[in-house]
Amino acid sequence: MNYFEYNGTRSDDMGLRIESKNVFSAPKYDAKFTTIPGRDGELIVPNYRYPNVQVTYTVFVPAKSISELSARITAIKAWLYTEPDRYHELRDSYDSTFFRRAVINTQLDIEDQLNKIGTFTVSFSCHPFRFSEEGQTPVSVGNGGTIINPFAFPSKPVIKISGSGDGVLRVINGAINLWNITDIENGMLIDSGQMNCYKDAVPLNDRVSGDGFPLLYPGTSHIVYQGGITSVEITPGWCTL
């Protein structure tokens, strides 16, 4: 039986049955086309981003009585509309090796829809990229070691730095990107997705300087470090459309 899992809870555990899933095959790249007098064609003006995509499930709720149906609907609403101001992980049985970051994006009255047609839709607004489950596993990379991005898009890793004092981190993939880290104090995290450097709940952005935040481009990246850095562990966060 097919299911989706949102914010840690599976649809079948909530009594939902899925009839179908609808999703756009890929988001439209965000760009404008500008006409220049005397020039054939149009100039592409990119915004360097992809917009969110909509993932929609058509579902129904079987029940033996009106009271059972009402109780299930109440529980389903409480589940889906908890923390609607942030993204949650969305998984399903249709695409088991990837997950999305999603937030509920549907406006309907489930009771009225059920009374009319017996089914309703659950729609999520999702980050344009799907994230590989494999890419959520931390990987220890020795000094001078490599990590391979198997997809066609750069990923935004979480890099755990261990050590103390000052150090230098380099990620080499064609170009050499470098970060100077000061006063490491028994380690820190560099989170490229959140664009944040921290340890526990303490921000440490003032201790890191360099080329923005690390990206792992398609293909092989070499990881080189020196100074007070003693080890590096990378959660790569591989992604694709």
Side-chain angles (χ1 to χ4, degrees), residues 2 31 81 91 96 99 151 177:
N2 287 317
Y81 288 95
R91 294 174 169 84
S96 60
F99 69 93
F151 298 103
N177 295 292

Side-chain angles (χ1 to χ4, degrees), residues 91-241:
R91 294 174 169 84
D92 65 32
S93 53
Y94 299 91
D95 191 16
S96 60
T97 59
F98 291 89
F99 69 93
R100 293 183 180 272
R101 296 194 172 107
V103 64
I104 189 72
N105 185 34
T106 186
Q107 185 176 5
L108 52 81
D109 190 316
I110 297 178
E111 290 92 345
D112 284 348
Q113 292 240 351
L114 282 170
N115 289 336
K116 292 175 182 176
I117 59 175
T119 63
F120 62 97
T121 59
V122 179
S123 182
F124 297 97
S125 180
C126 301
H127 191 281
F129 288 96
R130 296 180 298 136
F131 297 91
S132 165
E133 295 282 9
E134 183 180 359
Q136 303 307 303
T137 302
V139 178
S140 295
V141 182
N143 195 3
T146 61
I147 188 168
I148 300 175
N149 182 349
F151 298 103
F153 299 91
S155 71
K156 299 176 180 180
V158 177
I159 301 179
K160 180 181 180 180
I161 304 292
S162 296
S164 59
D166 300 341
V168 178
L169 171 69
R170 293 178 175 86
V171 178
I172 305 169
N173 185 321
I176 300 176
N177 295 292
L178 178 149
W179 294 268
N180 290 297
I181 306 170
T182 59
D183 198 12
I184 297 172
E185 289 187 1
N186 299 316
M188 65 186 305
L189 293 175
I190 301 176
D191 189 328
S192 296
Q194 294 185 11
M195 301 179 71
N196 193 21
C197 303
Y198 57 93
K199 179 175 175 60
D200 300 325
V202 180
L204 300 174
N205 295 292
D206 59 338
R207 301 186 187 181
V208 180
S209 63
D211 302 317
F213 283 84
L215 296 176
L216 298 177
Y217 288 94
T220 301
S221 293
H222 297 265
I223 310 299
V224 179
Y225 49 88
Q226 64 187 69
I229 300 175
T230 56
S231 66
V232 168
E233 183 179 84
I234 300 176
T235 304
W238 307 134
C239 64
T240 189
L241 292 178

